[in-house]
Amino acid sequence: MKAIRRFTVRTVLPEQLQPLHELALNLRWSWHPETRDLFRSVDPEVWAATGEDPVRLLGEVPAARLAALAADRRFLRRLGDLADDLREYLTGPRWYQARPDDGATPPPAAVAYFSPEYGIAAALPQYSGGLGILAGDHLKAASDLGVPIIGVGLFYRHGYFRQSLDRAGWQQERYPLLDPDELAVSLLREADGTPSRVDLLLPGGRTLAAHIWRAQVGRVPLLLLDSDIEANSPAERDVTDRLYGGGSEHRLLQEMLLGIGGVRAVRAYCRLTGHPAPEVFHTNEGHAGFLGVERIRELVADGTAGLDFAAALESVRAGTLFTTHTPVPAGIDRFDRELVARHFGGDVALPGVPVESVLALGAETWRDGDPKLFNMAAMGLRLAQRANGVSTLHGEVSRSMFNGLWPGFDPAEVPITSVTNGVHAATWIDPAVVRLGAAEIGAERAEEAMTTGETKRWTGLERIGNTEIWDLRRSLRAQLVDEARRRLRASWRQRGAGEAELGWVSSVLDPDVLTIGFARRVPSYKRLTLMLRDPERLRALLLHPTRPVQIVVAGKAHPADDGGKRLIQQMVAFADDPAVRHRIVFLPDYDMAMAQHLYPGCDVWLNNPLRPLEACGTSGMKAALNGCLNLSVLDGWWDEWFDGQNGWAIPTADEGAGVLDPESSEAERRDDIEAAALYDLIEEQVAGRFYDRGDDGLPHRWIAMVRHTLVTLGPKVLAGRMVREYVERLYAPAALAQRELAVRGHAGARELAGWKAKVREGWPGVRVEHVEADCPAEAQELGSSLALRVQVALGSLEPGDVEVQVVAGRVDETDGISDAAALALKPVGGPDLDGRTRYEGALELSRTGPFGYTVRVLPAHPRLASPAELGLVALPAESTGMDAGLLR
């Protein structure tokens, strides 16, 4: 029989144990070892059986045990101390509050951070991969630093899928139903106790309603919108059914609810709790881009502001940051324009927001763009005055990929900067690693070092002895071996094997063998099966008589990606071979719980994507925090922080050509070459160094690399360092820009919008009509200068509306300028009889070799975040025929 209704019966805790609820409902327990130890001590067996989830633990622990704990003075003292510690953590000043007041503009009162997924803890499965884990680490680091962030996302009743394998090694998916009453979340309620609710109007007279669940991530509230409520029809109830599921309209509704509904949820939360209203909105990938449209509606609908769409757009842009994680156009959400028009026009149009204006935000106006599609990343960039990629290399890739939004500018000038991702140390460092460091530098300093990322080196860890490091690495490897055997046995039982068939599992892997880890999502560009290019060569490495290698592999393919599933099946087929299955394993259902064993237990972390398609690749960062060495293609973060002593770089066969069709002969050849290089590295350098032992049995050169990784790489990869960069480089300037436009009833926004309209209308009349320079000889001497005189027609514009620049640098055979530097020229006198304005300046010749320059005119306004913001530039008619000379 099936129940006609399901609900959760909560345990009634004795009064003395009530603080356990407080500790369980704040997800800080997921990165606070002392709190986790307390919950483990409540009932170790139930703790393990509930997946180390405090909420489920308190729902299943026997009443007799609770009664015993209520009378246990020692336990109650620990409970009281940890409850006090949490309250102090939540209310005391931290880095953000303690920043020196140097008279600079105050940082934002609050920041709203929108993401489609969050990886906070395995007990709250609302993530699929790196994007969600990054978002979770961002919130945790913000909490540790005291940054006043409000997280916004969706509550997926089925989360992402749980993965298993059938007997043939084919991925199977299941979507267990998540009951929020069994999770560390609570409903946001109005003053009268009713659930707070947001509503979106849909075509056909329908309404999409959602309740708001709040998860408390340390100091940071995370608001999750849930459409599975009785007020909705069945179709609308399913909008938040699962992460990245459904067809195009389903995804559009999810993204409308995330963006539009998310802003409304933030307003409700601030109204009900008194939390400061956000001054900055951070859009983590394009999925939440509609938040800018809703904020425009708010400003236009506010009768006191009196803003039209254009002025509201400027105000919204000033306080918005857009972060892209996508290295290829295929990774961007794009919708049929007619579908978007149907959801933003007619009876469901947002007041004051014309559907034509919405469509223009997502239009692919660049060459080769599709006029029938609405591009979410394009909208995100148009709605944000500031944007960034997630590593230095990814910033370069993003500037090239989105160059079409800024026609006339070189990719290097596209206004997309980069903030390299980081990872939350307290979540990902094994407690044994923390204890080893704390024993040398002190517990308080170790915690501070893991939190802020303010130092360039973890000074003091150099003193840790070789024996201590090696004993730790061996212990962590042994833990991984035990965990891998447990999971492998469970996987084979799910595949249909009987217990009598699985005796071999107890000898799988060896705690004294070099262990390589590879775990991530399984799209084709991450190349799960590159290691299988030459199976015999791989077998030889695994079975080497004196220097064997063992490999632990995990990963999920998207349910609709049969190509990815075939890659997993190929890997499983190889790992099932009785000849090698003790040296290579595939562990299904990769999630945070598994990852927290994998990263510390591996000696080497393997990453071999197609360069430059790895935006950042934070799994290698988490491994490095535990003293694991990276073996990776120079992509993402590894491209900027590999130093030759913290791991190995896999050579690439065609640097920068990662966009090759994976089915092409060139791609096949590239994979063959790079796989051969990988085998050579493992055999000759990695294994050679791991097994090169001194008279004391220790691999001293290996240990030196581990120590160097911890000391120099540890501080760089921290999410604390990342969030500090966001605050100082992006959040604070965005808050200042937003305030400047909002003063005097948004007079600044109206003025800026009017100025931009004037410039766009008058730009066709702007021309560089004549350029001359004092250049007596073709070859100029280093250190000399050229006197430049430029005649510019400004049409209806004035000199204060523009900046005239000379752009100079090294030139190639086609006269293309590289390493360019720009110098502003000054207007001299008023317009001549022909209406032209003369500009003059001196160009210093500061480098030798082929050198050239050109002149251009750009819009100029003190409230532009970048000269390229409007995408307007005027060049000489003969812009390709610049003056160029040879310097000596």
Side-chain angles (χ1 to χ4, degrees), residues 20 81 83 92 95 102 226 250 278 283 288 301 338 361 419 500 504 552 649 728 773 812 821 869 885:
L20 283 173
D81 289 344
W95 170 83
D102 54 5
D226 178 12
H250 186 86
T283 310
E338 293 303 317
L361 291 171
V419 175
W504 58 275
V552 181
E728 293 165 351
D812 58 22
E869 186 170 314

Side-chain angles (χ1 to χ4, degrees), residues 24 42 101 128 187 196 370 442 503 542 547 557 563 565 644 689 773:
V42 168
D101 182 6
S128 71
L187 267 181
S196 187
D370 190 334
L542 297 172
R547 298 187 307 187
K565 294 180 184 180
R689 182 158 296 193

Side-chain angles (χ1 to χ4, degrees), residues 53-372:
D53 180 346
V55 175
R56 292 181 58 199
L57 168 77
L58 297 181
E60 297 184 22
V61 68
R65 175 59 178 162
L66 292 176
L69 290 173
D72 186 333
R73 292 182 180 178
R74 184 178 178 184
F75 180 85
L76 293 177
R77 278 197 303 272
R78 287 177 65 198
L79 175 59
D81 289 344
L82 286 170
D84 289 343
D85 179 75
L86 176 61
R87 294 184 195 111
E88 181 181 353
Y89 173 86
L90 296 177
T91 58
R94 306 194 69 82
W95 170 83
Y96 196 79
Q97 291 73 34
R99 295 169 73 229
D101 182 6
D102 54 5
T105 302
V111 176
Y113 181 91
F114 285 62
S115 178
E117 53 175 301
Y118 288 91
I120 308 294
L124 186 63
Q126 300 289 302
Y127 62 93
S128 71
L131 179 69
I133 301 299
L134 179 280
D137 283 4
H138 194 109
L139 297 195
K140 289 184 234 182
S143 173
D144 290 341
L145 294 171
V147 181
I149 279 183
I150 302 172
V152 183
L154 300 180
F155 181 81
Y156 304 99
R157 286 292 176 133
H158 295 279
Y160 202 51
F161 69 91
R162 302 296 301 273
Q163 179 197 47
S164 60
L165 303 172
D166 65 14
R167 192 75 189 211
W170 188 257
Q171 174 178 291
Q172 306 292 303
E173 301 98 20
R174 58 189 177 89
Y175 291 87
L177 179 65
L178 299 176
D179 182 352
D181 288 333
E182 297 177 351
L183 302 174
V185 297
S186 58
L187 267 181
L188 183 66
R189 295 184 180 276
E190 298 292 334
D192 62 2
T194 59
S196 187
R197 185 176 128 179
V198 298
D199 292 338
L200 274 67
L201 295 179
L202 300 181
R206 297 174 296 146
T207 298
L208 172 60
H211 286 166
I212 306 162
W213 294 99
R214 180 179 71 179
Q216 196 64 36
V217 186
R219 298 166 69 113
V220 173
L222 170 58
L223 309 179
L224 301 172
L225 284 82
D226 178 12
S227 71
D228 188 15
I229 62 176
E230 293 183 359
N232 284 326
S233 67
E236 279 70 53
R237 292 188 73 152
D238 285 344
V239 166
T240 56
D241 57 351
R242 61 185 60 175
L243 185 57
Y244 303 140
S248 184
E249 184 168 14
H250 186 86
R251 290 286 295 274
L252 177 63
L253 291 177
Q254 285 190 338
E255 298 186 6
M256 290 175 61
L257 182 59
L258 174 59
I260 299 171
V263 172
R264 296 175 185 178
V266 168
R267 303 307 186 201
Y269 177 78
C270 293
R271 170 176 54 82
L272 292 168
T273 65
H275 193 288
E279 294 184 275
V280 175
F281 285 73
H282 185 170
T283 310
N284 191 41
E285 247 322 327
H287 309 282
F290 289 120
L291 72 87
V293 177
E294 168 64 8
R295 292 174 59 217
I296 290 171
R297 182 204 65 78
E298 289 181 325
L299 289 170
V300 174
D302 181 359
T304 61
L307 299 184
D308 60 11
F309 181 91
L313 171 61
E314 295 306 325
S315 183
V316 165
R317 290 186 74 253
T320 302
L321 167 65
F322 177 76
T323 297
T324 174
H325 296 257
T326 307
V328 288
I332 296 169
D333 272 354
R334 302 157 83 204
F335 297 105
D336 186 281
R337 277 174 58 91
E338 293 303 317
L339 178 65
V340 176
R342 192 160 64 249
H343 285 79
F344 283 89
D347 294 339
V348 295
L350 296 174
V353 184
V355 64
E356 296 81 8
S357 299
V358 175
L359 294 175
L361 291 171
E364 296 190 352
T365 53
W366 52 88
R367 183 184 303 173
D368 299 327
D370 190 334
K372 299 192 187 81

Side-chain angles (χ1 to χ4, degrees), residues 5 10-11 83 123 126 128 268 329 359 425 503 513 716 881:
R5 188 178 178 191
R10 289 191 180 274
T11 300
Q126 300 289 302
S128 71
L359 294 175
V513 167
K716 293 180 181 178

Side-chain angles (χ1 to χ4, degrees), residues 435-456:
R435 287 193 295 270
L436 181 64
E440 192 60 51
I441 66 175
E444 187 172 320
R445 191 172 152 225
E447 181 179 356
E448 181 183 0
M450 290 194 306
T451 299
T452 64
E454 289 189 286
T455 60
K456 294 183 179 179

